[in-house]
Amino acid sequence: MIAIFYLVLQILKLYSYVVIANVIVSWLIAFNVLNTQNRFVYALLELTYRLTEPFLSRIRGFLPNLGALDISPIVLLLLIWFIEMCMKLYIAPIIF
Protein backbone atom coordinates (compact mmCIF):
# COMPACT_ATOMS: atom_id res chain seq x y z
CA MET A 1 0.00 0.00 0.00
CA ILE A 2 2.81 2.38 0.86
CA ALA A 3 4.51 1.60 -2.44
CA ILE A 4 1.39 2.68 -4.30
CA PHE A 5 1.34 5.98 -2.42
CA TYR A 6 4.99 6.59 -3.28
CA LEU A 7 4.27 5.76 -6.92
CA VAL A 8 1.39 8.24 -6.98
CA LEU A 9 3.61 10.86 -5.34
CA GLN A 10 6.26 10.38 -8.02
CA ILE A 11 3.66 10.61 -10.78
CA LEU A 12 2.30 13.84 -9.28
CA LYS A 13 5.83 15.25 -9.09
CA LEU A 14 6.48 14.37 -12.74
CA TYR A 15 3.15 15.88 -13.74
CA SER A 16 4.03 19.12 -11.98
CA TYR A 17 7.23 19.22 -14.07
CA VAL A 18 5.12 18.77 -17.21
CA VAL A 19 2.89 21.69 -16.18
CA ILE A 20 5.95 23.87 -15.54
CA ALA A 21 7.44 22.89 -18.92
CA ASN A 22 4.16 23.75 -20.63
CA VAL A 23 4.08 27.19 -19.04
CA ILE A 24 7.71 27.94 -19.84
CA VAL A 25 7.51 26.81 -23.47
CA SER A 26 4.26 28.67 -24.08
CA TRP A 27 5.71 31.85 -22.56
CA LEU A 28 8.87 31.56 -24.65
CA ILE A 29 6.73 31.17 -27.77
CA ALA A 30 4.53 34.11 -26.76
CA PHE A 31 7.59 36.34 -26.31
CA ASN A 32 9.07 35.17 -29.65
CA VAL A 33 12.09 33.54 -28.06
CA LEU A 34 11.18 30.14 -29.50
CA ASN A 35 9.69 29.43 -32.88
CA THR A 36 7.03 26.79 -33.47
CA GLN A 37 8.57 26.07 -36.87
CA ASN A 38 11.14 24.00 -35.02
CA ARG A 39 9.83 20.43 -34.86
CA PHE A 40 11.20 19.72 -31.40
CA VAL A 41 9.64 22.84 -29.91
CA TYR A 42 6.34 22.10 -31.60
CA ALA A 43 6.38 18.47 -30.43
CA LEU A 44 7.22 19.51 -26.87
CA LEU A 45 4.45 22.10 -26.85
CA GLU A 46 1.95 19.63 -28.31
CA LEU A 47 2.85 16.91 -25.78
CA THR A 48 2.67 19.19 -22.76
CA TYR A 49 -0.54 20.79 -24.06
CA ARG A 50 -2.28 17.43 -24.47
CA LEU A 51 -1.23 16.34 -20.99
CA THR A 52 -2.21 19.52 -19.17
CA GLU A 53 -5.17 20.92 -21.09
CA PRO A 54 -7.92 18.63 -19.67
CA PHE A 55 -7.16 19.78 -16.12
CA LEU A 56 -6.47 23.38 -17.04
CA SER A 57 -9.75 23.72 -18.93
CA ARG A 58 -11.68 22.47 -15.89
CA ILE A 59 -9.85 24.91 -13.62
CA ARG A 60 -10.50 27.78 -16.05
CA GLY A 61 -14.21 27.03 -15.78
CA PHE A 62 -14.13 27.90 -12.08
CA LEU A 63 -11.85 30.95 -12.26
CA PRO A 64 -13.04 34.44 -13.12
CA ASN A 65 -11.81 36.02 -16.35
CA LEU A 66 -8.73 38.11 -15.59
CA GLY A 67 -8.15 39.32 -19.13
CA ALA A 68 -4.89 38.13 -20.64
CA LEU A 69 -3.62 36.79 -17.30
CA ASP A 70 -4.05 33.02 -17.06
CA ILE A 71 -3.53 31.78 -13.51
CA SER A 72 -4.87 28.27 -14.08
CA PRO A 73 -1.37 26.63 -14.23
CA ILE A 74 -0.53 28.20 -10.88
CA VAL A 75 -3.78 26.92 -9.39
CA LEU A 76 -3.07 23.46 -10.84
CA LEU A 77 0.42 23.44 -9.31
CA LEU A 78 -1.04 24.48 -5.96
CA LEU A 79 -3.59 21.67 -6.16
CA ILE A 80 -0.85 19.15 -6.94
CA TRP A 81 1.19 20.45 -4.02
CA PHE A 82 -1.83 20.22 -1.71
CA ILE A 83 -2.54 16.63 -2.77
CA GLU A 84 1.12 15.70 -2.22
CA MET A 85 1.11 17.20 1.28
CA CYS A 86 -2.13 15.43 2.20
CA MET A 87 -0.73 12.12 0.98
CA LYS A 88 2.47 12.62 2.95
CA LEU A 89 0.47 13.40 6.09
CA TYR A 90 -1.60 10.27 5.51
CA ILE A 91 1.47 8.08 5.01
CA ALA A 92 3.52 9.46 7.93
CA PRO A 93 1.66 7.62 10.75
CA ILE A 94 1.70 4.37 8.76
CA ILE A 95 5.48 4.39 8.30
CA PHE A 96 6.34 5.10 11.95
Side-chain angles (χ1 to χ4, degrees):
M1 185 69 169
I2 294 174
I4 293 172
F5 280 114
Y6 282 125
L7 179 66
V8 171
L9 282 173
Q10 292 302 318
I11 290 171
L12 285 173
K13 190 171 291 197
L14 288 174
Y15 189 73
S16 65
Y17 293 146
V18 169
V19 172
I20 292 169
N22 182 17
V23 170
I24 290 173
V25 170
S26 61
W27 282 351
L28 290 175
I29 289 171
F31 292 126
N32 292 328
V33 175
L34 291 178
N35 190 352
T36 56
Q37 300 297 324
N38 186 345
R39 287 186 180 182
F40 176 74
V41 172
Y42 182 76
L44 181 66
L45 182 65
E46 184 71 23
L47 175 71
T48 58
Y49 177 80
R50 287 186 184 218
L51 289 174
T52 58
E53 188 55 32
F55 296 111
L56 291 178
S57 64
R58 285 192 174 183
I59 292 173
R60 284 185 195 117
F62 292 107
L63 295 177
N65 189 4
L66 298 175
L69 183 63
D70 185 20
I71 60 169
S72 58
I74 297 168
V75 173
L76 181 60
L77 288 173
L78 288 174
L79 285 172
I80 292 171
W81 175 79
F82 180 73
I83 293 170
E84 286 178 357
M85 291 298 117
C86 290
M87 288 181 69
K88 286 179 183 177
L89 286 174
Y90 181 75
I91 292 174
I94 296 172
I95 293 175
F96 300 112

